[in-house]
Amino acid sequence: ALLETAGHRVDTVPDGERAVEAMAAVDAGTAAAYDAVLMDVMMPRLNGLEATKRIRALPGQAATVPIIAVTASAYPEDVAACREAGMDDHVVKPIDRESLLRKLAALADAPRAAVQRPAPPAAARGDTFDALPLLRETDGATPRLSIPGLDEAMAQRLVPEFLREIRTTRDELRQVDLRNIDAVISITHRLAGSAATLGAERLTAAARAFETEAKQARSGGDEVSAAQRQRVLGISAETLEALEATLSVAPAAE
């Protein structure tokens, strides 16, 4: 929606394998070339890093397409991984429309530009979660919920999709086996991205911190904290209640 309202034509695919297939079709001459690829980093079947490596290995012109990572993570190690995979730039959810359009324009003029390294976000931990507002505030008041870069009508059509994703990932986090660290990372990453888009600041910080803890646990062979999961679940419940009140929608059945 952000791109189409700026006059761009957009094709979407559901996973990394289909992204590689789409670019291979460009090489084969059976599909029109693309000006850029917005590559989600965490996807089913084939993640964005591996999909980018495979696109870069294609034999023809499609291998040089500018690729922008789209992710909820902006830590230096995450940006470095995107760069090492062959991505040209990096945008963090929630996506700022004007910033994205500027990046696309710059990449069109200079393909394969160097990856920019944004400063890492402040990942709140411990009791600092409680100091963050449940929802983003403006001038001391919670505004009507919106998605930056979209007019109110379009935003209100899309907001329920992000709200549904928060509910889904909350339920997945509740049920996941904490020994399956890769699943924990994937779930908390998606939760943080949707929460950030809707301005749910406390939940965004809690989910990102839990994702970081899970990555550290994976590196060190440790276990992730059941107490931290409960904390994220508690903040999720509070956030959903606040979002539902703001949107005037009926809460989903538990």
Side-chain angles (χ1 to χ4, degrees), residues 129-208:
F129 290 145
D130 297 330
L132 294 173
L134 281 175
L135 302 182
R136 185 184 303 120
E137 297 180 354
T138 303
D139 298 328
T142 302
R144 180 176 177 80
L145 210 56
S146 64
I147 298 176
L150 295 182
D151 62 39
E152 184 172 327
M154 177 64 77
Q156 295 309 311
R157 284 174 52 194
L158 293 179
V159 159
E161 297 296 328
F162 289 100
L163 186 59
R164 185 161 34 250
E165 177 72 356
I166 291 176
R167 291 186 184 121
T168 298
T169 48
R170 181 272 315 267
D171 293 342
E172 290 176 359
L173 182 60
R174 179 186 292 148
Q175 298 168 12
V176 70
D177 185 341
L178 292 181
R179 292 171 295 183
N180 187 348
I181 294 181
D182 286 342
V184 173
I185 292 171
S186 176
I187 292 166
T188 52
H189 184 87
R190 288 163 47 211
L191 179 59
S194 295
T197 298
L198 295 188
E201 294 189 5
R202 192 181 305 173
L203 180 57
T204 301
R208 284 178 172 163

Side-chain angles (χ1 to χ4, degrees), residues 1-10 38 97 100-101 104 149-150:
L2 291 172
L3 292 170
E4 288 175 346
T5 56
H8 292 279
R9 181 179 64 82
V10 180
L38 299 179
R97 180 176 183 268
L100 174 60
L101 295 178
L104 287 172
L150 295 182

Side-chain angles (χ1 to χ4, degrees), residues 1 37 44 46 51-53 57 62-63 69 79 81 88 94-95 99 125 137 150 163 168 193-194 206 220 247:
V37 173
L46 188 70
T52 298
K53 293 176 184 177
V79 177
D88 299 280
I95 297 171
S99 175
R125 291 182 177 276
E137 297 180 354
L150 295 182
L163 186 59
T168 298
S194 295
L247 289 168

Side-chain angles (χ1 to χ4, degrees), residues 13 15-27 30-31 45 55 58:
V13 293
D15 57 58
E17 287 187 0
R18 293 286 295 278
V20 176
E21 291 171 4
M23 300 311 298
V26 171
D27 258 5
T30 58
R45 300 181 64 184
I55 291 172
L58 291 172

